[in-house]
Amino acid sequence: MHYISTRGGMRAARFTEVLLSGLAPDGGLVVPVTLPALSRDRLETWRSLDYVALAAEVIGLFATDVPESDLQNMTAAAYGPQRFPAPVVPVRDCSTVAAGLHLVGLSEGPTMAFKDLAMQFLGQAVPYVLGKQGQVLNILGATSGDTGSAAEHAFRGQDAVSVFMLSPADRMSPVQRAQMYSLHDPNIYNVAVEGVFDDCQNLVKALSNDPAFKAQYSLGAVNSINIGRIVAQAVYYVWAWLRVTDRTEERRPSDLQVDVCVPSGNFGNIYAGHLVRSMGLPVRRLIVATNENNVLEEFFSTGIYTPRSAEATLATSSPSMDISKASNLERFLWSLLGPGRFSHAWKELEDSGSLDLSDQVERMREELGFVAMSSSHAERLETIRLMSSHGVIVDPHTADGITTALRLMEPGFPTLVLETARPEKFLDTVEEALGCPQPVPDSVSKLLALPQRKTTIPNDEKPLRAIIAENAVTASSPILR
Ligand SMILES: *Cc1c(COP(=O)(O)O)cnc(C)c1O
């Protein structure tokens, strides 16, 4: 399989050639040129595979330049018992809540959110590619919580990679802080910035826009537009479909159609669903769930896409979805419009700050299966109470998905809601909903009690440059094998 840029300015390249670069050289995102077909027969041969083996098969469709045995080693390390309890992604039947409702558990990994599933694969694939090329990478990132901890847990202990993660001092939840600051691996550097998340992000941008510094210290990113994250996410759509249709006794073609509902922010998770649906996985509808920051709901229902500024983005009780510019939507628009019309549309968006694709609304709904809806804080609390009355505690992001699914689901079609975080990670909102303190699991109390380590700096480039200059892994570092 080959990849090109949405903006048209990159020669076709293979998976291992595009894995390390966030953006394409022309500023676009890399997309597969053509997609292989996922036939029913092939899907059936995968029914007996465990998650590790299935991941190697599905990722292998996208990473055709990586030998099968190497991919198997990577998925075994990424999704093995040290990182995830079996079966990695549990699928739970919640038919007592609503007939056909299922929860797909994506947050059983080390940081209790779905980003572990993609990041753990990168934590194997990136060092693999670096090793082949005799290179090193210093990952520089900013986090408001989930992404940073997932990256640190994925790359801890890797020889050829160091992680410098900026976080806003004293602004993350106690669990998020503990997940990051309790890591003592020599290749993980937690830098707490006296400021807010935007300040952290601006520091990262400032250093990334300094080509000399960037090259000298091999700086890179593992952000949500990395193609490796997308292909690792494709796996659990196939996995969940196989598990839900396992339970279907008669397998007529009409029994195999499912709807999938995805709590969305940057459009990375659901874009992976769009890819496998385009390849032939029998998904009828992809339901986009948003919170009060509903640019995506607006786009799929009106065809008008108007990204909003950081100031216009509300702070909600599902903070990991507080996004008003969905970076991965560029990939979807490219596949929707084709390269020619895409480049006109993208220019319109950049020139006017808005894009009118109202002529595509029906096609997006009928042909591509996209529907969208948003939930409010009060509705999410109500859903947490409803699920709790059936013995299932969910976090506010997952509650957003369930709220949306309950409104849009139709009889006869199993509806799979992707659970994107564990409730323990967002206990405040769960307690607000249920009106009483929730028991803190042992694993969480233990985590909170671990000693923490971080370096606090003022909101200034200079100390950050010094930390990187002193600690960056280099190609001549003795630790590099
Ligand atoms: C990142 C995240 C999301 C949003 O996923 P996208 O891929 O950005 O659409 C939803 N829920 C949680 C808990 C997350 O961490």
Side-chain angles (χ1 to χ4, degrees):
M1 181 181 285
H2 285 86
Y3 296 85
I4 54 174
S5 167
T6 49
R7 313 255 174 109
M10 184 186 112
R11 71 173 175 83
R14 313 286 293 269
F15 184 77
T16 58
E17 298 173 284
V18 295
L19 182 71
L20 300 183
S21 51
L23 287 175
D26 62 356
L29 305 194
V30 299
V31 281
V33 182
T34 54
L35 289 174
L38 260 185
S39 68
R40 267 298 303 289
D41 286 348
R42 184 168 220 172
L43 288 167
E44 289 306 328
T45 63
W46 288 348
R47 216 171 260 291
S48 59
L49 301 183
D50 64 10
Y51 196 89
V52 165
L54 182 71
E57 291 285 342
V58 175
I59 296 171
L61 299 174
F62 297 94
T64 48
D65 54 336
V66 180
E68 215 177 295
S69 56
D70 290 354
L71 266 181
Q72 282 163 358
N73 292 338
M74 287 183 226
T75 60
Y79 305 120
Q82 331 77 297
R83 310 292 171 90
F84 289 87
V88 182
V89 172
V91 178
R92 182 172 192 161
D93 188 339
C94 298
S95 287
T96 60
V97 181
L101 185 70
H102 293 76
L103 263 189
V104 181
L106 302 182
S107 35
E108 306 299 308
T111 72
M112 301 190 285
F114 92 96
K115 291 188 173 66
D116 282 329
L117 282 160
M119 207 62 98
Q120 286 290 336
F121 172 68
L122 274 197
Q124 301 300 320
V126 166
Y128 172 83
V129 173
L130 290 170
K132 295 258 166 218
Q133 303 172 349
Q135 290 179 356
V136 296
L137 179 67
N138 288 291
I139 294 171
L140 174 62
T143 189
S144 55
D146 291 348
T147 311
S149 55
E152 292 186 355
H153 282 261
F155 287 95
R156 59 189 296 201
Q158 291 286 2
D159 287 347
V161 181
S162 284
V163 180
F164 297 86
M165 192 57 67
L166 312 192
S167 52
D170 306 322
R171 293 204 182 232
M172 293 189 297
S173 78
V175 173
Q176 287 174 325
R177 272 204 298 269
Q179 282 178 341
M180 293 178 61
Y181 301 165
S182 69
L183 294 184
H184 295 265
D185 305 74
N187 68 329
I188 302 294
Y189 300 89
N190 279 302
V191 183
V193 177
E194 288 165 344
V196 296
F197 171 64
D198 279 337
D199 298 322
C200 300
Q201 216 166 18
N202 288 337
L203 286 174
V204 170
K205 274 192 201 143
L207 266 58
S208 306
N209 288 336
D210 177 345
F213 190 81
K214 203 176 160 195
Q216 183 177 3
Y217 296 108
S218 314
L219 293 186
V222 288
N223 43 25
S224 83
I225 52 179
N226 186 295
I227 191 69
R229 285 177 67 174
I230 304 283
V231 306
Q233 288 169 178
V235 178
Y236 49 71
Y237 284 87
V238 179
W239 171 264
W241 180 85
L242 287 167
R243 298 294 75 80
V244 168
T245 54
D246 252 347
R247 295 173 188 144
T248 313
E249 264 138 47
E250 275 176 71
R251 295 206 199 110
R252 288 168 309 188
S254 59
D255 293 332
L256 294 166
Q257 295 270 338
V258 302
D259 287 350
V260 186
C261 179
V262 188
S264 294
N266 254 324
F267 205 71
N269 199 354
I270 201 166
Y271 173 75
H274 168 67
L275 272 187
V276 280
R277 183 185 186 276
S278 308
M279 288 157 65
L281 188 74
V283 171
R284 186 180 69 129
R285 295 189 304 175
L286 287 164
I287 303 174
V288 184
T290 70
N291 63 21
E292 291 86 342
N293 296 297
N294 63 340
V295 273
L296 288 172
E297 181 204 20
E298 197 172 275
F299 172 62
F300 283 100
S301 46
T302 65
I304 313 258
Y305 177 52
T306 313
R308 298 172 201 159
S309 63
E311 301 80 66
T313 305
L314 305 164
T316 77
S317 51
S318 42
S320 302
M321 297 160 63
D322 290 346
I323 287 166
S324 296
K325 185 168 173 289
S327 41
N328 276 291
L329 196 69
E330 179 169 348
R331 291 191 159 107
F332 173 74
L333 295 176
W334 181 86
S335 70
L336 175 74
L337 301 172
R341 183 159 175 212
F342 170 82
S343 67
H344 287 114
W346 199 255
K347 189 163 184 321
E348 178 188 333
L349 180 62
E350 288 194 323
D351 290 350
S352 70
S354 183
L355 179 59
D356 183 349
L357 294 178
S358 44
D359 64 329
Q360 299 289 321
V361 172
E362 194 179 321
R363 212 186 122 215
M364 293 196 291
R365 190 177 57 233
E366 302 302 327
E367 198 181 303
L368 304 177
F370 275 96
V371 285
M373 199 169 264
S374 61
S375 73
S376 67
H377 176 64
E379 288 166 333
R380 291 190 288 277
L381 296 187
E382 188 59 46
T383 296
I384 292 172
R385 283 192 286 274
L386 169 72
M387 294 304 288
S388 158
S389 73
H390 290 269
V392 185
I393 307 289
V394 295
D395 96 291
H397 303 80
T398 310
D400 190 314
I402 298 171
T403 306
T404 303
L406 289 176
R407 267 198 235 132
L408 295 179
M409 63 192 291
E410 293 172 356
F413 297 97
T415 301
L416 285 61
V417 177
L418 303 190
E419 181 211 57
T420 55
R422 300 280 317 150
E424 295 87 308
K425 210 165 180 180
F426 297 95
L427 265 191
D428 287 1
T429 305
V430 175
E431 291 179 347
E432 182 186 346
L434 301 179
C436 58
Q438 292 298 299
V440 178
D442 263 3
S443 54
V444 174
S445 339
K446 278 195 198 128
L447 173 74
L448 292 172
L450 291 174
Q452 299 190 4
R453 189 183 72 161
K454 63 175 192 296
T455 306
T456 304
I457 61 167
N459 176 19
D460 181 2
E461 277 178 45
K462 240 172 101 188
L464 177 60
R465 283 176 188 266
I467 290 172
I468 293 173
E470 190 176 331
N471 298 294
V473 56
T474 62
S476 56
S477 299
I479 55 166
L480 182 67
R481 281 197 293 261

